[in-house]
Amino acid sequence: MKSPNTDGVRGFFYMTIEKEKRLTLPPKNKRDFVVLHKNKTLSIMGLKCGIVGLPNVGKSTLFNCLSNAQAKSANFPFCTIEPQVGMINVPDNRLEKLEELVNPQRVVPTVIEIVDIAGLVKGASKGEGLGNKFLANIRETDAILHVLRCFNDDNIVHVHGKVDPISDKEIIDFELQLKDLETVESMASKNQRAAKTGDKEAIKKAAVYERLKAHLEKGKSARSLELEDFEVPIIDEMFLLTNKPVLYVCNVDETSAAEGNEYVESVKKMAEEENAQVLFICAGLEADVAQLDSYEERMEFLNDVGLKEAGVNKLIRSAYKLLNLSTYFTAGVQEVRAWTIPVGATAPQAAGVIHTDFERGFIKAEVMKYEDFTSLGSEAACREAGKLNMQGKEYLVEDGDIMHFKFNV
């Protein structure tokens, strides 16, 4: 294999041909092309969101229309026992424009990993309904998509006999809070001996544990506790379930797909108190849209019910916002690709998402703004207009940047 050269991303394109092992899905069109990397050093930094909720709220239906995997979807609890995992392209219209201008051999979007976790029930924190296994699955995710039933349908039973999304939400919260309380009490117990010896760090931790314990005992989630800067890493190291960012997804009927309903309004009011996000979507309708072959058919279907785009697109963008992520692009004749990074990532960190050698041997980055590139039409035009800038190690990458990296290892 050739050693990575110092021509930035252009050199990377040749390197990846030899180093990647690709799993490709047959594309319906050029923009549906998906690449899932098996080599860890070349893996795309993506999202891993867990879909949670009570049984029969539409979790698996939503999961099925998000991914190529088909989770079981039936009218009884615990239909999904093992977590189902699916991958989906992150929709980004900017890739389409870059493809038009660059005319590459392939276009690769970033991907999102979705995990469908079986429906939780009362007593999950104590092992009811395979609760311990389900909670462990939630712990492995980066964010929670909490699906709430916001529709009436006598043909679909509600596990507690009536539709009440606020009550449903509180049931899930309670189980997660109880599990977190166990974790906090265990950590406090282990820390107690060191604190008694006068260890300053242990004393700090003891105070944080006590404050967090009191917060959870009030029925509040860890994410709503206001923290000092020094307390954040202490909380983070416990991997608490209720400290994960959450998006409430209201599953509505088709007549409410465009405007929502009274159930959605009650969830929005509740979420304001938590400073949480809310999205409403008709999972059944989305499943129907996903079965259509062409873009034109999908848009015609959506327009007929008063929607401008698929709800899953909104969901993915909301998940991005939830995890504080942004996208930058690499663009060349062999490949146009979107890469996912945390907001605030430096240029070397962004380079490291492509390959660790890029970060280790980072020299500088050539950066063009998406707006400049698309308005001027090419890299050469950006360079001539003074819109291609050289940036160093301290540069904070902005969403939409088009970057070429120079490195030496």
Side-chain angles (χ1 to χ4, degrees):
M1 187 191 74
K2 297 178 182 178
S3 300
N5 61 35
T6 57
D7 290 332
V9 167
R10 297 179 187 79
F12 164 71
F13 290 141
Y14 295 100
M15 177 178 67
T16 57
I17 291 173
E18 297 178 338
K19 293 196 71 173
E20 285 182 8
K21 294 182 180 179
R22 298 186 188 86
L23 171 63
T24 62
L25 303 176
K28 292 181 180 177
N29 57 55
K30 193 172 182 181
R31 285 184 295 279
D32 285 338
F33 194 76
V34 178
V35 178
L36 305 182
H37 293 274
K38 296 299 183 184
N39 187 318
K40 289 183 179 180
T41 61
L42 289 171
S43 64
I44 298 173
M45 177 187 284
L47 305 171
K48 187 175 183 180
C49 294
I51 303 179
V52 305
L54 294 178
N56 299 341
V57 298
K59 294 187 308 83
S60 293
T61 301
L62 180 60
F63 172 81
N64 287 340
C65 69
L66 278 169
S67 70
N68 290 302
Q70 293 293 312
K72 295 177 183 178
S73 180
N75 191 14
F76 54 88
F78 317 128
C79 176
T80 308
I81 303 300
E82 295 294 334
Q84 305 279 340
V85 180
M87 306 296 289
I88 184 171
N89 294 349
V90 176
D92 194 326
N93 292 333
R94 294 174 297 185
L95 274 175
E96 188 173 332
K97 183 64 176 177
L98 290 175
E99 178 187 17
E100 178 186 323
L101 293 171
V102 179
N103 193 27
Q105 294 179 20
R106 61 178 179 264
V107 177
V108 186
T110 189
V111 295
I112 180 172
E113 182 174 353
I114 301 289
V115 183
D116 179 25
I117 298 168
L120 297 178
V121 296
K122 285 183 178 179
S125 60
K126 302 300 180 184
E128 294 292 330
L130 303 178
N132 287 331
K133 190 171 187 178
F134 300 161
L135 293 171
N137 292 333
I138 296 173
R139 198 179 299 279
E140 295 172 358
T141 64
D142 301 306
I144 295 173
L145 305 178
H146 189 160
V147 181
L148 297 169
R149 176 172 172 172
C150 294
F151 65 90
N152 295 310
D153 189 336
D154 293 337
N155 295 318
I156 302 177
V157 298
H158 189 287
V159 69
H160 296 303
K162 65 175 183 176
V163 177
D164 187 344
I166 302 303
S167 175
D168 293 353
K169 177 258 184 191
E170 291 173 346
I171 289 170
I172 298 292
D173 281 355
F174 182 72
E175 297 303 326
L176 300 184
Q177 289 160 6
L178 281 180
K179 201 65 181 178
D180 279 352
L181 194 55
E182 288 181 16
T183 301
V184 174
E185 289 174 342
S186 175
M187 295 289 286
S189 178
K190 293 176 182 178
N191 184 67
Q192 192 174 24
R193 180 178 296 180
K196 286 182 176 179
T197 65
D199 183 287
K200 292 182 179 180
E201 189 63 29
I203 291 172
K204 278 185 182 180
K205 287 186 176 183
V208 175
Y209 295 152
E210 188 61 33
R211 197 158 75 88
L212 179 57
K213 180 174 179 290
H215 187 74
L216 291 167
E217 288 175 339
K218 292 177 183 176
K220 297 180 179 181
S221 297
R223 73 178 72 87
S224 64
L225 180 63
E226 293 187 8
L227 300 172
E228 300 290 340
D229 289 345
F230 79 89
E231 295 176 314
V232 173
I234 298 174
I235 299 292
D236 287 347
E237 69 183 6
M238 288 188 278
F239 300 101
L240 298 174
L241 300 172
T242 65
N243 198 40
K244 296 180 183 294
V246 62
L247 170 67
Y248 293 108
V249 182
C250 298
N251 186 17
V252 301
D253 56 27
E254 186 171 326
T255 60
S256 304
E259 302 294 336
N261 55 31
E262 65 275 9
Y263 293 130
V264 174
E265 293 306 313
S266 67
V267 174
K268 285 182 177 180
K269 185 176 180 180
M270 171 275 299
E272 284 180 6
E273 299 172 1
E274 299 184 6
N275 196 27
Q277 299 178 55
V278 176
L279 179 76
F280 60 90
I281 187 172
C282 177
L285 186 149
E286 294 292 325
D288 291 339
V289 172
Q291 297 302 313
L292 300 175
D293 290 330
S294 72
Y295 172 80
E296 290 73 21
E297 287 178 304
R298 292 192 290 270
M299 289 308 300
E300 182 178 356
F301 187 100
L302 291 169
N303 289 334
D304 286 345
V305 295
L307 298 175
K308 294 182 179 180
E309 66 173 334
V312 292
N313 291 355
K314 298 179 188 176
L315 177 57
I316 296 167
R317 288 198 298 269
S318 295
Y320 245 56
K321 184 177 179 182
L322 187 69
L323 288 176
N324 204 31
L325 297 174
S326 65
T327 300
Y328 78 90
F329 303 100
T330 53
V333 292
Q334 290 200 13
E335 179 180 87
V336 166
R337 184 186 293 243
W339 302 91
T340 303
I341 55 173
V343 171
T346 63
Q349 290 169 336
V353 174
I354 298 177
H355 196 284
T356 53
D357 283 351
F358 278 39
E359 181 174 8
R360 185 162 55 91
F362 179 88
I363 299 173
K364 59 184 175 181
E366 296 179 342
V367 182
M368 295 169 285
K369 299 303 177 184
Y370 171 82
E371 292 77 11
D372 293 333
F373 188 91
T374 53
S375 64
L376 294 171
S378 69
E379 178 183 332
C382 287
R383 190 183 300 274
E384 185 176 342
K387 297 296 184 179
L388 188 153
N389 299 308
M390 294 294 181
Q391 301 290 354
K393 294 182 177 180
E394 302 303 316
Y395 177 70
L396 299 181
V397 180
E398 297 181 3
D399 187 68
D401 279 353
I402 300 171
M403 307 184 74
H404 297 155
F405 298 104
K406 294 187 180 294
F407 67 103
N408 187 23
V409 291

